[in-house]
Amino acid sequence: MDSRKPLDSLAIGLMIPFCICFGLQQVALKAAAPDMAPMLQIALRSILGAAMVYALLRWQKESMTWRNGVWQPGLLVGVLFALEYVFLAEALRYTSAGHAVVFLYTSPMFSALILHFRLETERMSLVQWLGILLAFAGIVTAFGGNLSIDSSEQLFGDFLALLGGLAWGLTTVVIRTSSLSNLPSKQTVLYQLLVAAALLTPLAWWWDQFSFNPTPLLLGSLAFQTLIIAFGALLIWFWLLRNYQASRIGVLSFMTPIFGVLLGAWLLDETIEPGFMLGALLVVAGISLVSGHEWLLGYWRKRQARMLVPGG
């Protein structure tokens, strides 16, 4: 029997700041970009985050699993995780933080599509296919919206962020279809952080993105990304997944792109184009259907049942 609880005030109270923090992630990277390239910021965050997760494993007396059949998919998800942030880091050089967060959060659409053809248990329902079509329509609408910067540059940045969403979706597929599905989550995250640090650090040097200016803004951004994003929010996320129903938590996570757009407009003075905002809302609605269809259908059935009961 599943002991996970439905949503309550504690879960919602934790998810709102969680989504705000992850929406702020792209804003922090973009804001500190003049002092340190986003790729180098992510590389340093990965190094420090890996050290903190490893320290937590040691404190909890857990040992890292390197056995055959585990390290190979662990290496693969690490490479995909690094690719996700390569695309994101480069996207932020050309497009706004608000655009980047929306396109990055298309990842569940890609993972749902691929898993539909890979696993019998992941076959999508009609409601989910509707969500895929809605999200795709949102992507097309967002790409076609009025652009406030140079159109070609912004479109290129948006496309890179979309590729980041694809890499994130592929990471989910590998974890779901490999031995990593039975591995403790902290160990999977450590694989991701270690490989990302090993790949992104030399890549930042190779692409001449290794210089930095240690301003208070940059140091604050790095502290936020390491302590809050790569460590604190991660622990909150896995605690929520252990204690609450994943589908309901997943639906709430799609507040993140909306927060990202609003925070980018507020803190970075980014323009919210009407066409892009409409597309973003379609993307969020579509992916919410894909990820939360079971909860939404269950809620609808309960509502219909109450309406049939006299006085309900």
Side-chain angles (χ1 to χ4, degrees), residues 2-66:
D2 190 357
S3 60
R4 290 178 176 86
K5 300 180 289 187
L7 292 180
D8 57 20
S9 58
L10 175 60
I12 295 172
L14 288 173
M15 278 301 296
I16 291 174
F18 173 88
C19 293
I20 291 173
C21 287
F22 267 85
L24 189 58
Q25 175 186 196
Q26 282 70 225
V27 176
L29 287 167
K30 183 88 174 179
D35 299 313
M36 178 184 285
M39 191 175 300
L40 186 57
Q41 291 185 58
I42 296 166
L44 285 178
R45 181 185 82 184
S46 298
I47 293 169
L48 297 171
M52 296 177 73
V53 173
Y54 180 73
L56 180 64
L57 284 172
R58 297 286 295 178
W59 180 65
Q60 295 180 338
K61 296 182 170 53
E62 293 183 34
S63 58
M64 192 66 181
T65 303
W66 304 103

Side-chain angles (χ1 to χ4, degrees), residues 19-188:
C19 293
I20 291 173
C21 287
F22 267 85
L24 189 58
Q25 175 186 196
Q26 282 70 225
V27 176
L29 287 167
K30 183 88 174 179
D35 299 313
M36 178 184 285
M39 191 175 300
L40 186 57
Q41 291 185 58
I42 296 166
L44 285 178
R45 181 185 82 184
S46 298
I47 293 169
L48 297 171
M52 296 177 73
V53 173
Y54 180 73
L56 180 64
L57 284 172
R58 297 286 295 178
W59 180 65
Q60 295 180 338
K61 296 182 170 53
E62 293 183 34
S63 58
M64 192 66 181
T65 303
W66 304 103
R67 68 176 182 273
N68 193 37
V70 173
W71 71 264
Q72 294 93 336
L75 178 62
L76 180 56
V77 298
V79 170
L80 289 170
F81 182 74
L83 273 177
E84 173 194 338
Y85 279 103
V86 167
F87 289 132
L88 175 62
E90 289 301 293
L92 288 171
R93 296 174 62 193
Y94 300 100
T95 192
S96 66
H99 280 224
V101 69
V102 169
F103 287 113
L104 187 66
Y105 269 77
T106 59
S107 62
M109 181 183 74
F110 294 115
S111 58
L113 274 172
I114 297 169
L115 287 171
H116 173 81
F117 297 102
R118 289 289 307 275
L119 295 176
E120 185 71 30
T121 56
E122 295 287 346
R123 294 286 188 264
M124 288 193 292
S125 67
L126 182 60
V127 173
Q128 288 176 295
W129 279 111
L130 176 62
I132 291 288
L133 292 175
L134 200 60
F136 181 75
I139 292 171
V140 173
T141 303
F143 268 106
N146 296 322
L147 303 176
S148 59
I149 332 175
D150 178 76
S151 296
S152 59
E153 284 200 352
Q154 179 133 14
L155 283 172
F156 180 59
D158 290 349
F159 179 66
L160 289 175
L162 189 64
L163 289 179
L166 173 60
W168 187 1
L170 288 171
T171 302
T172 301
V173 171
V174 173
I175 292 173
R176 182 70 178 80
T177 60
S178 71
S179 57
L180 296 180
S181 61
N182 298 315
L183 198 68
S185 300
K186 292 189 292 295
Q187 295 191 32
T188 302

